[in-house]
Amino acid sequence: MSNHKIVIDANKSPLALELRELFNYKDLFYTLSYRDFKVKYAQTFLGLSWAFIQPLMTLLVFSLLFSRGLQLDTGNIPYILFAACGLSAWTYFSGVMGQAGSSIIGAQSMVQKIFFPRLIIPLSKALVGLIDFVIALVILFIFMVVYQFTPSSNIIYLPFFVFMTIIASLGVGIWLSALTIRYRDFQHIVPFLVRFGMFFTPVAYPASVIVNRVPDWASAIYYLNPIAGIIEGFRWSVLGTEAPNIFSYISFGIVILLFISSLFYFKKVEKTIADII
């Protein structure tokens, strides 16, 4: 028999995050994550190989377009390493943004029948996305071995930028999952953001291409993109490129603001989710 008890406390703040309650449902969190992982690659001929094929094909297109076609200068760093570094962070960010955005709607029948912290649903998408994130990093380091490129001494800061990538992805994903419940238009907006957002993010090109050509106020707007400063930090820590500029702190601030505000907004709408969907 389960030892868990459901306690209804009238004095509890409606905005209390109740992280302990989330921990009590960790088994459901792992179950949903495992189910999503199986569904993602189930009944596909190549299975998990798609997690390698997709970033490799993207890198091939980037190389043809930006390196061969536009002759983009990345200094003494092979372009394939430069792009793979940006793509690893973007793959996770866009994956969580796309999956978490419609996660509550996709779990409609479960939400209407079972009581559990609804925040577990978008959080489980973030855990599954870590598999693709790790594979993208493995591809990056394989290319570094192939090109005999030694990681920068700044690599000790990589865990910080990995952490910031996860926080940024969760912040945007939780916001979108909560907004999509009431405003279904976001189901159509999110794929648009994923498809075109990459071209407004320094994934395939250095941010200096933008910053050096526009006034400071336009650069500040560019760095409102939460993942822009993180990707620059990724490259600095792994490849030893130019350190993130002063505008990158705008991205870092946006990441913290998005993550904290997403938790409180989700908590605010959580009680009405089952009635709305």
Side-chain angles (χ1 to χ4, degrees):
M1 179 180 291
S2 171
N3 293 324
H4 291 169
K5 294 187 297 183
I6 297 176
V7 178
I8 300 176
D9 185 356
N11 297 319
K12 186 180 294 181
S13 170
L15 293 180
L17 293 179
E18 301 170 10
L19 299 179
R20 185 180 181 83
E21 185 180 41
L22 280 175
F23 181 78
N24 290 337
Y25 282 86
K26 61 182 182 301
D27 291 339
L28 177 61
F29 170 69
Y30 294 134
T31 300
L32 291 177
S33 301
Y34 182 64
R35 183 202 63 178
D36 289 340
F37 173 71
K38 288 185 65 177
V39 168
K40 187 172 183 179
Y41 296 108
Q43 297 183 349
T44 60
F45 181 72
L46 296 178
L48 189 61
S49 299
W50 283 113
F52 289 89
I53 294 172
Q54 290 174 345
L56 287 173
M57 293 302 293
T58 305
L59 288 174
L60 176 62
V61 173
F62 280 174
S63 296
L64 292 175
L65 179 62
F66 291 95
S67 182
R68 299 291 181 87
L70 299 179
Q71 300 289 313
L72 187 68
D73 183 17
T74 55
N76 61 348
I77 299 172
Y79 178 80
I80 199 75
L81 296 182
F82 184 89
C85 203
L87 189 63
S88 58
W90 173 258
T91 297
Y92 181 71
F93 179 77
S94 62
V96 173
M97 184 167 64
Q99 293 291 319
S102 58
S103 59
I104 302 292
I105 301 297
Q108 182 173 347
S109 59
M110 188 172 69
V111 169
Q112 291 176 328
K113 294 175 182 174
I114 307 172
F115 171 80
F116 65 95
R118 311 313 191 201
L119 187 59
I120 283 180
I121 298 175
L123 289 180
S124 67
K125 306 297 181 185
L127 182 61
V128 175
L130 282 176
I131 296 172
D132 291 338
F133 192 23
V134 170
I135 289 175
L137 290 175
V138 168
I139 291 174
L140 168 63
F141 285 102
I142 288 175
F143 276 124
M144 293 179 73
V145 172
V146 171
Y147 281 91
Q148 299 181 339
F149 191 95
T150 305
S152 162
S153 59
N154 303 324
I155 201 165
I156 58 174
Y157 297 100
L158 181 61
F160 169 76
F161 292 106
V162 170
F163 174 75
M164 290 295 285
T165 304
I166 295 172
I167 294 299
S169 307
L170 281 174
V172 174
I174 293 171
W175 259 112
L176 289 173
S177 65
L179 289 171
T180 305
I181 297 166
R182 187 176 295 275
Y183 309 104
R184 302 295 173 93
D185 300 88
F186 279 95
Q187 292 184 93
H188 305 284
I189 293 174
V190 170
F192 177 82
L193 291 175
V194 171
R195 190 173 301 120
F196 293 100
M198 184 165 60
F199 297 101
F200 294 95
T201 304
V203 177
Y205 58 86
S208 58
V209 170
I210 302 295
V211 174
N212 293 342
R213 289 175 167 80
V214 299
D216 286 350
W217 63 266
S219 296
I221 292 176
Y222 180 76
Y223 276 92
L224 288 176
N225 179 347
I227 199 69
I230 294 174
I231 287 179
E232 288 294 287
F234 243 84
R235 289 201 181 99
W236 171 72
S237 61
V238 177
L239 304 178
T241 57
E242 188 176 345
N245 59 44
I246 190 68
F247 296 109
S248 295
Y249 291 96
I250 297 176
S251 289
F252 302 154
I254 291 293
V255 169
I256 302 300
L257 179 63
L258 276 174
F259 180 66
I260 294 175
S261 61
S262 69
L263 292 176
F264 283 101
Y265 181 75
F266 194 94
K267 190 63 186 176
K268 180 181 178 182
V269 303
E270 185 175 25
K271 291 181 179 178
T272 61
I273 287 177
D275 299 325
I276 296 174
I277 61 175

